[in-house]
Amino acid sequence: MKKLLLTLLALLCVQSVCLASFREHRYDSFKVLEPEEGSIIFIGNSITDMHCWNEVFRTSDGTPLPIVNRGNFSTCTDEQSDVLESYLRHKPKKVFILLGTNDIASDRLNLTGEQLIVYLNSVVKRILMRSPETKIYLNSIFPTNSAARPASKILHTNECIKA
């Protein structure tokens, strides 16, 4: 039994290291794979990361839009802020931001709605400063109701985002 528990613990540790390495690899690739000028950038967490945005949105004749997915699972606003410059070099046409759920639930940050808005405002200001023609779409946090993400905290945070 002891051997089994040690084996399971070792596997969990290996999984954690692999996931962290994968996240860092994604951020490293974001820094070198620059979007084309006029692209539409999706910035976010796993909700953004796991969706094929460029396959969903198309022009009226069926041509895919120039969408670049910069989602990364478990990301927080400060991490996306660290790689933001690589998204802005070529003046994106639009930026869709879906961040916050991990900021308000993570052990690392555990932000209040008001604290999250400070981070989001800094991201928005940097986008506007570097690329003033870019349209920014700041999305609300998807509702959940777990111990880490109580509905009341998400609703309050969404009110802060809306304001």
Side-chain angles (χ1 to χ4, degrees):
M1 182 65 162
K2 189 175 183 180
K3 188 175 181 179
L4 176 63
L5 288 175
L6 288 173
T7 303
L8 287 174
L9 181 61
L11 287 173
L12 286 173
C13 290
V14 169
Q15 178 187 14
S16 295
V17 169
C18 290
L19 290 176
S21 296
F22 179 75
R23 288 182 68 237
E24 291 305 315
H25 172 73
R26 294 260 310 155
Y27 287 126
D28 289 344
S29 68
F30 293 167
K31 293 174 188 174
V32 296
L33 297 173
E34 296 180 349
E36 293 180 19
E37 187 168 336
S39 294
I40 300 167
I41 311 291
F42 280 66
I43 300 172
N45 52 37
S46 59
I47 298 165
T48 302
D49 182 19
M50 293 187 292
H51 198 66
C52 303
W53 301 106
N54 59 335
E55 294 179 27
V56 173
F57 296 107
R58 298 176 176 272
T59 63
S60 58
D61 70 355
T63 305
L65 294 171
I67 293 175
V68 178
N69 188 337
R70 291 297 184 252
N72 201 358
F73 75 96
S74 296
T75 197
C76 291
T77 305
D78 62 335
E79 295 169 317
Q80 282 287 355
S81 182
D82 290 343
V83 292
L84 187 62
E85 189 61 32
S86 65
Y87 310 160
L88 302 177
R89 283 189 195 122
H90 297 289
K91 312 288 189 236
K93 183 176 182 177
K94 298 176 183 179
V95 173
F96 289 82
I97 302 170
L98 177 56
L99 290 168
T101 190
N102 296 321
D103 297 86
I104 65 174
S106 76
D107 292 334
R108 185 171 62 85
L109 295 177
N110 197 22
L111 300 179
T112 65
E114 291 80 8
Q115 291 168 324
L116 175 62
I117 293 305
V118 172
Y119 277 100
L120 290 173
N121 277 336
S122 71
V123 169
V124 168
K125 285 178 183 177
R126 283 178 59 203
I127 294 169
L128 291 173
M129 185 172 31
R130 293 284 288 130
S131 186
E133 301 299 317
T134 298
K135 291 184 181 178
I136 302 169
Y137 299 86
L138 186 57
N139 297 287
S140 59
I141 300 171
F142 292 164
T144 63
N145 195 18
S146 65
R149 295 175 179 90
S152 59
K153 190 171 185 179
I154 290 176
L155 291 172
H156 172 72
T157 303
N158 283 339
E159 286 300 318
C160 292
I161 291 170
K162 186 177 180 180

